[in-house]
Amino acid sequence: MRSFAEELDELRAEGLYRTLRTVGGGQRSWVEVEGKRALLLCSNNYLGLADHPALKEAASEAAALGTGSGASRLVSGTMELHEKLEARLAAFKGTERALLFNSGYAANTGIISAVVGRGDVILSDRLNHASIVDGALLSRANFFRYPHRDMEALGRLLREKRGNGRCLIVTDGVFSMDGDIAPLKEIVNLAEEHGALVMVDDAHGCGVIGESGRGSAEICGVLERVHLQMGTLGKGFGSYGAYVAASAEMCEYLVNRARSFIFSTSLPPAVLAASLAAVELVDSPEGARLRERLAANVSLFKARLAEAGLDTMGSETQIVPVFVGGAEETMQISRELLEEGLFVQGIRPPTVPAGSCRLRCTVMATHAEAELIDAAEKIARVCGRRMERRKSGEMG
Ligand SMILES: *Cc1c(COP(=O)(O)O)cnc(C)c1O
């Protein structure tokens, strides 16, 4: 039997060992990491709302109601704030109802394992988030993965594997490590043709992309045709938790069947109030201005990286990967960038396929233009230096 220490040694040898880095100074665009001041370029707090006065005030005020909810939703843990936030989210998304979950991870595992079961079918993009994969495994349904955004492959799976039970097509709206957007129109067309349900995980899209911030389904023009629109409140919304926007019937079903909803203490008042303030903000002219700022920052940053000859892997959003390749090399570049005052995480397997390790840069609305220009220049310089070293290594 292999010991835990041996397993950890193996991870070290493969360059896959993970450690925690503590961030000091609050969630702002400049943070302190390992005693160094650094520009934060790896947070999902895309609009800067985690540090917004309106959210912090709302959270402080609601803390007067108690720090914990004390129970799960079906016992005594449903407070007025849960109902208010659910109603606000449903109004924002234009669905009959919305249901809160304690996190995106809990939402995906709970929803998927409730909606399909043994004998049913799940069709999932190969690059979907780990929590979708875990939900699929938990459900015991037949689980098929199609190559990333490959609609021909999805069509083939529907024709060959659809069966007579329920069939769920599930996809990230914005892919978390690539920053591209799922072809939702084609997915919805195929689903309607084959009588399948569609679930979109818009953890990185909701609040952030689309004219009114309603995410990838808005961009693709299919808001009314996605059965389960899941989104998270801890990223663009700057708070914590998750929701699904769906029909009243579907939400009622999930209240009765989703185990992560039923068997877990509900979100506490301060978090709910912050989320409510965040939805208000996202759905206001200030939200639109923040999205515009973010989009302008993204264009600038990408243009500078492209000019330097770096590969941003087809990103269409504020998630901007920079391709590196090997795990060791990626982590070394990340360390060198921190030395230069830039906090960017390297991403390795199992989060991404082997050989496609990358720096995952995320742009925020609160970054200044000059900061992004400087960041792109540093990334180009450090990546260029590694490339030079690799070339001379190969020749020597
Ligand atoms: C972050 C993320 C989740 C998990 O959401 P949490 O609220 O952080 O648990 C789920 N899906 C995707 C695509 C994500 O990026």
Side-chain angles (χ1 to χ4, degrees):
M1 192 178 64
R2 240 170 6 150
S3 73
F4 296 120
E6 279 169 333
E7 233 176 274
L8 287 172
D9 283 341
E10 277 175 29
L11 287 177
R12 276 194 201 91
E14 292 162 18
L16 298 180
Y17 192 72
R18 293 170 186 241
T19 53
L20 299 169
R21 273 164 159 177
T22 306
V23 161
Q27 289 294 345
R28 315 217 160 84
S29 48
W30 284 88
V31 292
E32 213 172 273
V33 193
E34 292 164 11
K36 274 178 211 74
R37 219 172 97 79
L39 183 74
L40 180 59
L41 210 61
C42 53
S43 170
N44 302 320
N45 176 24
Y46 303 120
L47 300 177
L49 297 189
D51 189 45
H52 195 287
L55 273 73
K56 292 195 281 194
E57 252 164 57
S60 309
E61 237 170 73
L65 293 170
T67 50
S69 69
S72 64
R73 289 290 298 275
L74 285 162
V75 180
S76 62
T78 296
M79 302 173 75
E80 275 173 13
L81 275 170
H82 292 92
E83 293 187 333
K84 254 179 146 168
L85 177 56
E86 286 176 342
R88 188 66 186 86
L89 283 164
F92 174 58
K93 297 293 282 190
T95 54
E96 282 179 357
R97 206 176 147 182
L99 192 68
L100 288 168
F101 282 82
N102 288 351
S103 70
Y105 189 93
N108 281 341
T109 51
I111 294 166
I112 296 171
S113 63
V115 168
V116 288
R118 226 186 271 282
D120 295 332
V121 167
I122 299 175
L123 304 175
S124 168
D125 189 290
R126 193 179 290 283
L127 295 190
N128 277 346
H129 192 260
S131 56
I132 292 177
V133 177
D134 291 0
L137 295 176
L138 197 58
S139 75
R140 300 186 176 87
N142 299 318
F143 180 38
F144 301 100
R145 299 205 279 182
Y146 53 90
H148 184 45
R149 300 204 305 178
D150 185 338
M151 293 298 102
E152 246 172 68
L154 176 59
R156 207 173 317 120
L157 281 172
L158 279 164
R159 284 191 300 279
E160 291 170 6
K161 312 285 187 189
R162 163 76 184 81
N164 299 316
R166 288 186 192 145
C167 177
L168 176 69
I169 305 173
V170 56
T171 183
D172 282 15
V174 173
F175 288 88
S176 55
M177 297 299 136
D178 292 68
D180 53 352
I181 298 173
L184 293 183
K185 186 155 264 169
E186 290 82 349
I187 288 176
V188 164
N189 284 341
L190 281 169
E192 286 170 1
E193 191 183 319
H194 292 272
L197 291 163
V198 176
M199 172 171 171
V200 175
D201 170 348
D202 220 14
H204 299 277
C206 58
V208 180
I209 62 170
E211 181 91 22
S212 61
R214 284 184 283 175
S216 52
E218 180 176 13
I219 287 211
C220 298
V222 294
L223 277 168
E224 275 92 61
R225 297 165 70 195
V226 174
H227 305 89
L228 295 141
Q229 294 189 59
M230 175 275 196
T232 62
L233 297 164
K235 290 173 178 163
F237 285 103
S239 178
Y240 188 74
Y243 65 85
V244 64
S247 68
E249 179 188 59
M250 179 58 81
C251 291
E252 206 51 43
Y253 176 79
L254 292 171
V255 167
N256 282 275
R257 281 281 186 260
R259 293 169 67 85
S260 66
F261 177 89
I262 299 169
F263 297 107
S264 191
T265 300
S266 66
L267 292 168
V271 166
L272 297 166
S275 298
L276 201 49
V279 182
E280 262 341 309
L281 232 150
V282 156
D283 203 11
S284 76
E286 184 179 348
R289 276 197 300 277
L290 286 171
R291 280 190 293 279
E292 270 169 37
R293 262 306 293 122
L294 179 64
N297 276 350
V298 169
S299 306
L300 171 73
F301 184 61
K302 274 187 191 157
R304 293 300 170 116
L305 291 174
E307 278 165 29
L310 293 168
D311 174 9
T312 53
M313 305 179 78
S315 158
E316 302 171 74
T317 62
Q318 74 283 355
I319 298 170
V320 185
V322 173
F323 181 86
V324 180
E328 294 267 21
E329 201 178 5
T330 305
M331 300 322 283
Q332 184 56 35
I333 290 175
S334 165
R335 275 190 296 273
E336 286 177 29
L337 285 171
L338 187 56
E339 288 298 318
E340 305 243 358
L342 207 58
F343 186 24
V344 192
Q345 284 285 7
I347 308 287
R348 301 164 281 176
T351 311
V352 294
S356 74
C357 298
R358 65 201 69 173
L359 301 169
R360 177 180 179 271
C361 308
T362 52
V363 179
M364 291 166 66
T366 49
H367 286 141
E369 282 184 8
E371 291 168 346
L372 291 169
I373 292 171
D374 181 60
E377 189 270 322
K378 281 174 176 159
I379 292 169
R381 183 152 37 81
V382 171
C383 286
R385 202 151 72 202
R386 297 297 305 176
M387 243 87 94
E388 285 303 312
R389 250 179 264 168
R390 185 165 52 187
K391 250 187 251 158
S392 63
E394 277 162 9
M395 288 189 303

